[in-house]
Amino acid sequence: MDLETLRHANFAQLNEAITAWSGMAKKLKALDTDARDDLKAKADKANWAGLNATVSREFITKTAGEFGDAHTQATTIHNILKGTRDELVEYKAELDQVLERGRKKNITVVPTGNGGFTVTMLIHPDRAAKARSWNLFFLLGRRSTWRVTPS
């Protein structure tokens, strides 16, 4: 993730996805419980006989297990999204703190594209002009007789 993406990150859509997966995991947990405690329990107690009974029991047992697997997968996806969001929020907060500390020391970070950045000093325009004047003064050998004439 590059500097500007993290700096201006908005986690609203990620939060919505986390909420949606949390809801899905809860619904699948209820379906898993119903499938195990109701459907499978009734199939196990049923007085069925013959080949059809065996096939039906196996199908119901497998189907009840699938709800459990779906619940586990939904919970895993929810946890991955939540963990990722939590890490990104921490990284963003840390970046904001570092940038603020830099601003207090007149340092700024400027993106250069493709995730790169440059760290530069912030100089007040008056100080920058004074610095340029002094640099020009020293560059010109401290002469006071230099004159600029229009061409």
Side-chain angles (χ1 to χ4, degrees):
M1 177 174 286
D2 67 30
L3 174 75
E4 287 302 295
T5 302
L6 185 57
R7 181 187 265 178
H8 302 294
N10 179 346
F11 301 110
Q13 287 182 324
L14 189 52
N15 290 337
E16 290 173 11
I18 291 166
T19 300
W21 278 103
S22 175
M24 179 59 69
K26 287 176 186 173
K27 289 176 185 175
L28 287 169
K29 177 65 177 167
L31 289 172
D32 177 37
T33 301
D34 289 347
R36 244 183 316 104
D37 297 347
D38 190 35
L39 186 63
K40 185 175 179 316
K42 287 179 181 176
D44 288 343
K45 291 179 185 177
N47 190 14
W48 294 336
L51 182 59
N52 197 22
T54 304
V55 171
S56 295
R57 274 197 185 95
E58 287 175 2
F59 175 77
I60 291 170
T61 300
K62 183 178 177 186
T63 302
E66 294 295 328
F67 283 108
D69 293 345
H71 170 253
T72 300
Q73 291 172 3
T75 300
T76 300
I77 292 169
H78 169 262
N79 291 339
I80 289 170
L81 291 173
K82 187 175 180 312
T84 300
R85 189 262 330 263
D86 292 347
E87 282 185 35
L88 289 172
V89 166
E90 279 183 37
Y91 293 148
K92 183 180 186 323
E94 187 176 336
L95 177 63
D96 290 343
Q97 290 170 0
V98 167
L99 293 175
E100 183 57 32
R101 281 198 315 264
R103 274 191 283 281
K104 289 178 181 176
K105 295 179 181 182
N106 293 325
I107 298 172
T108 188
V109 178
V110 179
T112 59
N114 296 325
F117 58 89
T118 302
V119 178
T120 58
M121 287 291 292
L122 291 174
I123 301 175
H124 188 276
D126 293 343
R127 285 185 177 173
K130 193 181 246 184
R132 279 194 297 273
S133 297
W134 279 102
N135 287 341
L136 183 61
F137 177 74
F138 286 109
L139 179 67
L140 298 176
R142 298 182 188 165
R143 290 188 181 177
S144 60
T145 58
W146 289 93
R147 292 190 181 137
V148 178
T149 55
S151 33

